[in-house]
Amino acid sequence: MTLHAKHGVELESYLSDAGKNCLMASASTDSAGESFEYEQSFVGTEQLSVELQFSPGMYWFRLKSPRYNSDRHGNMRYLGLSDVAEAPANCITKAEDDAIYFPSLIQIDQNCKVNATLGEIGSSSDHKYKVNISRYSPRDPARTLKTWTKNGMGSAYNIVDIALLPGVYRFNLHSPDQDNLGTISLEHIISDPPGCFGPTRIAFPSQVTVNRECRVYAILNSYLVIDLVFWNVSINRNL
């Protein structure tokens, strides 16, 4: 039994926030190494030490609250893990500044221990946040894409899981049509088998050629500076 499963309920009432973080990290993987759940609430002025143990798999670094990481004026608030130290080296994918941002989708191919600082990156504020890291279990089998559509309003994050056949695919942006309202893109793209889909980020509208059967996982990031703007995108294969 894990530490959390055996003593977690009793221990939590005695621990500080930092102690609860460690306890939750110990609960992150079960005896089979197949489940993972880490969740933390904090204020932007806080910088929290985090220690996490990952087994191979795909993980969703999710921003649960607020619903997206920008304010009503379009100012970005960057949430993430900074000062990342991992063992073994390079066992987890990081951004160019060696940080891991929320939201993101990351594939981990080996057992990986991560020590980092959780908080706002590049600024501090009194905003309240809630983040979650969990293992993403893809549905099986994936449905082969003919035409895929997604719509919503304002800024949001959605996981995309699609199967592609060889061909040319159009990533269509139907609305909004004003460039100054923001961007909609697929980000943190993971392809199975590795390398079957070239870009790791693709904005709408775009066109991509796929040369073999491919399954694609990604986060659809609709970053719009006005909450009440309706958006609509689609992906279709040109035969």
Side-chain angles (χ1 to χ4, degrees):
M1 296 180 67
T2 65
L3 175 64
H4 188 274
K6 190 173 182 179
H7 302 292
V9 175
E10 298 174 358
L11 283 175
E12 283 186 11
S13 61
Y14 296 98
L15 294 176
S16 64
D17 288 343
K20 289 178 182 178
N21 290 348
C22 292
L23 185 66
M24 287 302 296
S26 73
S28 297
T29 55
D30 61 16
S31 58
E34 294 182 352
S35 66
F36 185 102
E37 188 77 20
Y38 172 84
E39 192 164 286
Q40 180 63 50
S41 299
F42 61 97
V43 178
T45 53
E46 295 182 274
Q47 295 287 303
L48 305 177
S49 296
V50 175
E51 180 177 311
L52 301 167
Q53 296 271 3
F54 296 99
S55 57
M58 192 183 307
Y59 293 85
W60 187 12
F61 289 68
R62 183 182 179 189
L63 176 61
K64 295 189 70 174
S65 178
R67 191 164 54 90
Y68 47 89
N69 60 340
S70 65
D71 61 24
R72 293 180 181 273
H73 302 288
N75 300 312
M76 295 295 291
R77 300 195 296 265
Y78 295 98
L79 279 294
L81 299 176
S82 58
D83 304 318
V84 178
E86 70 271 33
N90 302 317
C91 63
I92 190 168
T93 302
K94 302 182 292 299
E96 292 182 359
D97 57 358
D98 289 331
I100 300 170
Y101 289 93
F102 293 86
S104 59
L105 196 62
I106 295 177
Q107 176 71 42
I108 298 177
D109 296 323
Q110 57 185 310
N111 291 332
C112 183
K113 180 180 179 180
V114 172
N115 289 275
T117 300
L118 171 64
E120 285 194 20
I121 298 177
S123 64
S124 62
S125 70
D126 59 357
H127 296 294
K128 295 181 179 179
Y129 301 104
K130 187 174 186 179
V131 297
N132 175 277
I133 306 172
S134 60
R135 181 185 289 268
Y136 176 66
S137 299
R139 66 178 186 266
D140 190 24
R143 297 174 60 183
T144 301
L145 174 69
K146 292 184 178 178
T147 298
W148 176 91
T149 62
K150 188 72 176 179
N151 58 67
M153 185 174 291
S155 297
Y157 307 106
N158 299 275
I159 282 187
V160 175
D161 178 359
I162 52 178
L164 306 177
L165 296 172
V168 178
Y169 288 84
R170 285 289 306 167
F171 290 70
N172 307 296
L173 175 63
H174 303 291
S175 60
D177 56 5
Q178 297 99 327
D179 293 339
N180 62 342
L181 291 180
T183 60
I184 302 177
S185 58
L186 289 185
E187 300 181 354
H188 309 285
I189 297 173
I190 298 171
S191 57
D192 182 19
C196 66
F197 190 91
T200 57
R201 179 185 182 278
I202 183 166
F204 291 84
S206 295
Q207 181 170 291
V208 173
T209 299
V210 178
N211 294 319
R212 54 179 169 148
E213 291 186 10
C214 185
R215 188 167 180 172
V216 171
Y217 311 96
I219 288 181
L220 176 65
N221 173 10
S222 56
Y223 165 56
L224 300 181
V225 298
I226 303 175
D227 287 352
L228 299 181
V229 172
F230 175 82
W231 53 265
N232 177 261
V233 297
S234 68
I235 305 173
N236 67 278
R237 179 169 173 251
N238 295 332
L239 298 178

